[in-house]
Short mmCIF file of all heavy atoms in Angstrom, two decimals:
data_model
loop_
_atom_site.label_atom_id
_atom_site.label_comp_id
_atom_site.label_asym_id
_atom_site.label_seq_id
_atom_site.Cartn_x
_atom_site.Cartn_y
_atom_site.Cartn_z
N ALA N 341 21.48 56.93 -33.80
CA ALA N 341 21.23 56.54 -35.19
C ALA N 341 22.19 57.13 -36.09
O ALA N 341 22.72 58.24 -35.82
CB ALA N 341 19.75 56.91 -35.60
N LEU N 342 22.46 56.48 -37.23
CA LEU N 342 23.40 56.98 -38.20
C LEU N 342 22.61 57.49 -39.41
O LEU N 342 21.57 57.02 -39.74
CB LEU N 342 24.32 55.87 -38.67
CG LEU N 342 25.12 55.13 -37.60
CD1 LEU N 342 26.00 54.04 -38.22
CD2 LEU N 342 25.93 56.12 -36.79
N ALA N 343 23.20 58.47 -40.09
CA ALA N 343 22.60 59.04 -41.30
C ALA N 343 22.44 57.97 -42.33
O ALA N 343 23.39 57.16 -42.55
CB ALA N 343 23.44 60.18 -41.84
N ASN N 344 21.29 57.88 -42.92
CA ASN N 344 20.98 56.89 -43.94
C ASN N 344 21.21 55.46 -43.42
O ASN N 344 21.46 54.54 -44.28
CB ASN N 344 21.87 57.06 -45.24
CG ASN N 344 21.53 58.37 -45.94
OD1 ASN N 344 20.30 58.71 -46.02
ND2 ASN N 344 22.46 59.06 -46.50
N VAL N 351 28.86 60.55 -45.19
CA VAL N 351 27.46 60.10 -45.24
C VAL N 351 26.67 60.95 -44.25
O VAL N 351 26.89 60.83 -43.04
CB VAL N 351 27.34 58.59 -44.88
CG1 VAL N 351 25.83 58.18 -44.91
CG2 VAL N 351 28.16 57.78 -45.82
N LYS N 352 25.85 61.88 -44.77
CA LYS N 352 25.28 62.89 -43.89
C LYS N 352 23.81 63.10 -44.18
O LYS N 352 23.40 62.92 -45.33
CB LYS N 352 26.02 64.23 -44.04
CG LYS N 352 27.46 64.16 -43.63
CD LYS N 352 28.18 65.51 -43.80
CE LYS N 352 28.61 65.72 -45.25
NZ LYS N 352 29.49 66.86 -45.43
N GLU N 353 23.09 63.54 -43.18
CA GLU N 353 21.71 63.92 -43.31
C GLU N 353 21.43 64.94 -42.27
O GLU N 353 22.10 65.04 -41.25
CB GLU N 353 20.78 62.71 -43.05
CG GLU N 353 20.31 61.93 -44.21
CD GLU N 353 19.20 60.94 -43.82
OE1 GLU N 353 19.48 60.04 -43.00
OE2 GLU N 353 18.12 61.03 -44.44
N ASP N 354 20.35 65.73 -42.47
CA ASP N 354 19.93 66.66 -41.45
C ASP N 354 19.48 65.92 -40.21
O ASP N 354 18.91 64.81 -40.35
CB ASP N 354 18.78 67.52 -41.94
CG ASP N 354 19.30 68.56 -42.98
OD1 ASP N 354 20.51 68.66 -43.18
OD2 ASP N 354 18.41 69.26 -43.58
N THR N 355 19.73 66.46 -39.03
CA THR N 355 19.32 65.86 -37.79
C THR N 355 17.82 65.59 -37.83
O THR N 355 17.33 64.56 -37.42
CB THR N 355 19.61 66.78 -36.60
OG1 THR N 355 21.06 67.03 -36.57
CG2 THR N 355 19.20 66.18 -35.31
N SER N 356 16.99 66.57 -38.35
CA SER N 356 15.58 66.40 -38.44
C SER N 356 15.15 65.23 -39.26
O SER N 356 14.15 64.49 -39.02
CB SER N 356 14.92 67.69 -38.86
OG SER N 356 15.36 68.02 -40.13
N GLU N 357 15.96 64.99 -40.32
CA GLU N 357 15.59 63.89 -41.28
C GLU N 357 15.84 62.51 -40.62
O GLU N 357 15.02 61.58 -40.71
CB GLU N 357 16.44 63.98 -42.54
CG GLU N 357 15.92 65.08 -43.54
CD GLU N 357 14.52 64.79 -43.99
OE1 GLU N 357 14.16 63.62 -44.35
OE2 GLU N 357 13.73 65.75 -43.99
N ILE N 358 17.02 62.41 -39.95
CA ILE N 358 17.34 61.16 -39.27
C ILE N 358 16.33 60.91 -38.18
O ILE N 358 15.84 59.81 -37.97
CB ILE N 358 18.72 61.22 -38.71
CG1 ILE N 358 19.82 61.57 -39.76
CG2 ILE N 358 19.13 59.84 -38.11
CD1 ILE N 358 21.18 61.84 -39.17
N ALA N 359 15.96 61.98 -37.46
CA ALA N 359 14.95 61.85 -36.37
C ALA N 359 13.62 61.36 -36.87
O ALA N 359 12.98 60.49 -36.32
CB ALA N 359 14.78 63.20 -35.68
N LYS N 360 13.25 61.90 -38.02
CA LYS N 360 11.97 61.52 -38.62
C LYS N 360 11.99 60.09 -39.10
O LYS N 360 11.02 59.30 -38.83
CB LYS N 360 11.70 62.43 -39.83
CG LYS N 360 10.23 62.41 -40.32
CD LYS N 360 10.09 63.49 -41.37
CE LYS N 360 8.65 63.48 -41.88
NZ LYS N 360 8.42 64.53 -42.90
N GLU N 361 13.08 59.69 -39.66
CA GLU N 361 13.20 58.28 -40.10
C GLU N 361 13.12 57.27 -39.00
O GLU N 361 12.67 56.10 -39.16
CB GLU N 361 14.52 58.12 -40.93
CG GLU N 361 14.52 58.77 -42.24
CD GLU N 361 15.90 58.88 -42.87
OE1 GLU N 361 16.86 58.32 -42.24
OE2 GLU N 361 16.11 59.51 -43.87
N HIS N 362 13.57 57.71 -37.81
CA HIS N 362 13.55 56.79 -36.68
C HIS N 362 12.44 57.08 -35.68
O HIS N 362 12.46 56.58 -34.59
CB HIS N 362 14.92 56.82 -35.98
CG HIS N 362 16.04 56.25 -36.75
ND1 HIS N 362 16.72 56.92 -37.73
CD2 HIS N 362 16.55 54.99 -36.71
CE1 HIS N 362 17.62 56.14 -38.28
NE2 HIS N 362 17.56 54.93 -37.68
N ALA N 367 15.55 64.56 -30.46
CA ALA N 367 16.84 64.19 -31.03
C ALA N 367 17.78 65.39 -30.97
O ALA N 367 17.32 66.53 -31.09
CB ALA N 367 16.67 63.73 -32.45
N VAL N 368 19.06 65.11 -30.85
CA VAL N 368 20.08 66.12 -30.97
C VAL N 368 21.21 65.52 -31.86
O VAL N 368 21.30 64.27 -31.98
CB VAL N 368 20.74 66.55 -29.64
CG1 VAL N 368 19.71 67.29 -28.81
CG2 VAL N 368 21.37 65.40 -28.85
N ASN N 369 21.98 66.34 -32.47
CA ASN N 369 23.10 65.88 -33.26
C ASN N 369 24.08 65.11 -32.37
O ASN N 369 24.15 65.38 -31.17
CB ASN N 369 23.80 67.00 -33.94
CG ASN N 369 24.35 68.02 -33.01
OD1 ASN N 369 23.62 68.79 -32.37
ND2 ASN N 369 25.63 68.07 -32.82
N GLY N 370 24.83 64.22 -32.95
CA GLY N 370 25.73 63.38 -32.24
C GLY N 370 27.14 63.92 -32.25
O GLY N 370 27.40 65.06 -32.08
N PHE N 372 29.39 63.47 -34.83
CA PHE N 372 29.87 63.65 -36.18
C PHE N 372 31.13 62.81 -36.39
O PHE N 372 32.13 63.32 -36.81
CB PHE N 372 30.21 65.12 -36.48
CG PHE N 372 29.94 65.47 -37.92
CD1 PHE N 372 29.31 66.72 -38.21
CD2 PHE N 372 30.23 64.65 -38.95
CE1 PHE N 372 29.04 67.11 -39.53
CE2 PHE N 372 30.01 65.03 -40.27
CZ PHE N 372 29.43 66.25 -40.53
N GLY N 507 27.87 74.72 -36.31
CA GLY N 507 26.72 74.58 -37.22
C GLY N 507 25.97 73.30 -37.06
O GLY N 507 24.82 73.16 -37.57
N SER N 508 26.51 72.31 -36.40
CA SER N 508 25.87 71.04 -36.20
C SER N 508 24.81 71.02 -35.15
O SER N 508 23.91 70.20 -35.18
CB SER N 508 26.89 69.95 -35.86
OG SER N 508 27.87 69.80 -36.91
N THR N 510 21.84 71.00 -33.18
CA THR N 510 20.39 70.99 -33.58
C THR N 510 19.66 70.15 -32.56
O THR N 510 20.06 69.05 -32.13
CB THR N 510 20.25 70.35 -35.00
OG1 THR N 510 21.09 70.97 -35.92
CG2 THR N 510 18.75 70.45 -35.41
N VAL N 512 15.74 68.57 -32.12
CA VAL N 512 14.46 68.30 -32.79
C VAL N 512 13.52 67.69 -31.73
O VAL N 512 13.88 66.72 -31.10
CB VAL N 512 14.62 67.35 -33.98
CG1 VAL N 512 13.30 67.09 -34.63
CG2 VAL N 512 15.68 67.92 -34.99
N VAL N 517 12.27 71.49 -35.43
CA VAL N 517 13.58 71.99 -35.00
C VAL N 517 13.38 73.07 -34.02
O VAL N 517 12.74 74.12 -34.32
CB VAL N 517 14.38 72.51 -36.25
CG1 VAL N 517 15.70 73.05 -35.75
CG2 VAL N 517 14.61 71.35 -37.22
N PRO N 521 19.71 76.59 -35.75
CA PRO N 521 21.05 76.13 -36.18
C PRO N 521 21.61 77.03 -37.27
O PRO N 521 20.89 77.44 -38.22
CB PRO N 521 20.71 74.73 -36.72
CG PRO N 521 19.30 74.71 -37.08
CD PRO N 521 18.63 75.70 -36.16
N ARG N 527 22.64 82.58 -42.08
CA ARG N 527 21.47 81.80 -42.49
C ARG N 527 21.15 80.74 -41.46
O ARG N 527 22.06 80.06 -41.02
CB ARG N 527 21.80 81.16 -43.86
CG ARG N 527 20.60 80.62 -44.61
CD ARG N 527 20.96 80.18 -45.98
NE ARG N 527 21.77 78.98 -46.03
CZ ARG N 527 21.26 77.77 -46.29
NH1 ARG N 527 19.97 77.62 -46.59
NH2 ARG N 527 22.04 76.66 -46.27
N ALA N 529 19.85 77.45 -40.83
CA ALA N 529 19.56 76.22 -41.52
C ALA N 529 20.36 75.07 -40.91
O ALA N 529 21.50 75.34 -40.37
CB ALA N 529 19.99 76.31 -43.02
N GLU N 530 19.85 73.91 -40.95
CA GLU N 530 20.52 72.77 -40.33
C GLU N 530 21.77 72.40 -41.19
O GLU N 530 21.77 72.63 -42.42
CB GLU N 530 19.63 71.50 -40.36
CG GLU N 530 18.52 71.55 -39.34
CD GLU N 530 17.73 70.28 -39.36
OE1 GLU N 530 18.27 69.23 -38.85
OE2 GLU N 530 16.59 70.27 -39.88
N ARG N 531 22.75 71.88 -40.53
CA ARG N 531 23.89 71.32 -41.27
C ARG N 531 23.69 69.83 -41.20
O ARG N 531 23.27 69.23 -40.22
CB ARG N 531 25.17 71.69 -40.44
CG ARG N 531 26.49 70.99 -41.04
CD ARG N 531 27.61 71.04 -40.12
NE ARG N 531 28.24 72.27 -40.05
CZ ARG N 531 29.16 72.60 -39.24
NH1 ARG N 531 29.60 71.77 -38.29
NH2 ARG N 531 29.78 73.82 -39.27
N SER N 532 24.01 69.16 -42.32
CA SER N 532 23.95 67.70 -42.39
C SER N 532 24.98 67.10 -41.46
O SER N 532 26.13 67.58 -41.44
CB SER N 532 24.16 67.22 -43.79
OG SER N 532 23.22 67.71 -44.65
N VAL N 533 24.59 66.10 -40.75
CA VAL N 533 25.46 65.46 -39.77
C VAL N 533 25.50 63.96 -40.00
O VAL N 533 24.65 63.44 -40.74
CB VAL N 533 25.01 65.76 -38.28
CG1 VAL N 533 25.13 67.20 -38.02
CG2 VAL N 533 23.61 65.24 -38.04
N SER N 534 26.40 63.29 -39.36
CA SER N 534 26.56 61.86 -39.63
C SER N 534 25.77 61.00 -38.60
O SER N 534 25.54 59.78 -38.88
CB SER N 534 28.04 61.40 -39.64
OG SER N 534 28.67 61.81 -38.43
N ASP N 535 25.35 61.58 -37.48
CA ASP N 535 24.63 60.74 -36.52
C ASP N 535 23.90 61.63 -35.54
O ASP N 535 24.09 62.79 -35.39
CB ASP N 535 25.65 59.89 -35.75
CG ASP N 535 26.71 60.70 -35.02
OD1 ASP N 535 27.39 61.50 -35.72
OD2 ASP N 535 26.80 60.56 -33.82
N ILE N 536 22.98 60.97 -34.81
CA ILE N 536 22.15 61.65 -33.79
C ILE N 536 22.10 60.79 -32.54
O ILE N 536 22.32 59.62 -32.55
CB ILE N 536 20.75 62.03 -34.27
CG1 ILE N 536 19.94 60.70 -34.54
CG2 ILE N 536 20.80 62.87 -35.50
CD1 ILE N 536 18.45 60.94 -34.75
#
Side-chain angles (χ1 to χ4, degrees):
Chain N
L342 305 181
N344 292 323
V351 177
K352 297 180 278 190
E353 263 190 302
D354 288 353
T355 301
S356 58
E357 283 301 314
I358 307 174
K360 195 172 180 180
E361 288 165 6
H362 290 82
V368 294
N369 60 287
F372 214 139
S508 300
T510 307
V512 179
V517 176
R527 193 170 75 100
E530 289 184 71
R531 174 197 283 173
S532 298
V533 296
S534 57
D535 59 302
I536 65 170

